[in-house]
Amino acid sequence: MGRLIGYARVSTATQSTDAQVEELKQAGCDRIFHEKVSSRTPEEKRIQLQAALATLEEGDCLCISKLDRCGRTMVEVVNRLHDLQAEGINCRTLDGYINTSAMGKFAPLLIGLLTGLNEVERTLANERSQISIEYRRATGGNLGGRPKTPPKKEKLVLRLREE
């Protein structure tokens, strides 16, 4: 069996990774990477995440407190799980929801299921947005964007430009 590599992340400077790091230590992690970085920070600028991923080898396991620690969106998380699985690296969450090594041959099925669910959710969200836009068009509702300048102000601007 490979090594257990831990990764902890918090989003704001007022938060601390101490609790996550302690949980990862208790879980038996051989090495722990941690950082304070917003989830909006691009993946390539998450230095400790990149270091943790670079450390992983086939047979190792990435241990995180919750699934959202390894990606901002569900797409990122599912893609990361898929990439790790393809490299022979397992992933485990301390909350007990994911443990690809315990799932054995069912791990790709879970990743496929998560991918499929994510695709369905994305499609449904796009459909809901389109329905909302069509409804607002039909009823004369606000479609967003910059509001039209009131006629009185428009006349004033044109007059001032002429002067």
Side-chain angles (χ1 to χ4, degrees):
M1 180 158 177
R3 302 168 299 160
L4 189 60
I5 305 297
Y7 174 70
R9 180 185 61 80
V10 292
S11 300
T12 65
T14 58
Q15 294 175 317
S16 173
T17 58
D18 293 347
Q20 288 181 43
V21 169
E22 189 57 39
E23 288 177 351
L24 292 168
K25 283 180 183 175
Q26 290 176 3
C29 289
D30 301 309
R31 190 159 176 203
I32 299 171
F33 297 86
H34 57 95
E35 61 190 339
K36 291 182 184 184
V37 61
S38 170
S39 63
R40 294 182 179 172
T41 302
E43 182 178 314
E44 57 275 1
K45 292 187 178 179
R46 296 184 193 179
I47 306 302
Q48 293 299 308
L49 175 60
Q50 294 304 318
L53 294 174
T55 302
L56 292 165
E57 299 173 351
E58 186 174 350
D60 288 347
C61 181
L62 176 64
C63 187
I64 49 181
S65 60
K66 294 185 294 185
L67 205 50
D68 66 353
R69 298 294 93 185
C70 66
R72 179 175 183 216
T73 64
M74 183 54 85
V75 173
E76 286 180 19
V77 172
V78 169
N79 287 342
R80 167 97 5 85
L81 287 174
H82 179 268
D83 294 346
L84 290 172
Q85 189 72 25
E87 295 175 23
I89 299 168
N90 293 305
C91 187
R92 183 178 103 181
T93 59
L94 296 179
D95 60 14
Y97 289 126
I98 301 291
N99 185 347
T100 57
S101 62
M103 293 175 186
K105 295 179 185 201
F106 286 103
L109 177 65
L110 170 71
I111 293 167
L113 179 63
L114 289 173
T115 305
L117 289 173
N118 185 51
E119 189 174 324
V120 168
E121 176 56 31
R122 198 171 38 237
T123 302
L124 291 174
N126 288 339
E127 286 176 5
R128 287 190 298 265
S129 295
Q130 201 57 40
I131 290 169
S132 176
I133 289 169
E134 289 171 11
Y135 174 77
R136 286 182 276 156
R137 278 190 183 135
T139 60
N142 183 2
L143 292 174
R146 185 178 293 167
K148 182 144 175 61
T149 306
K152 187 175 179 182
K153 189 173 186 177
E154 191 174 327
K155 286 178 187 176
L156 176 63
V157 170
L158 292 173
R159 193 190 85 213
L160 290 173
R161 187 181 338 163
E162 289 173 8
E163 291 178 1

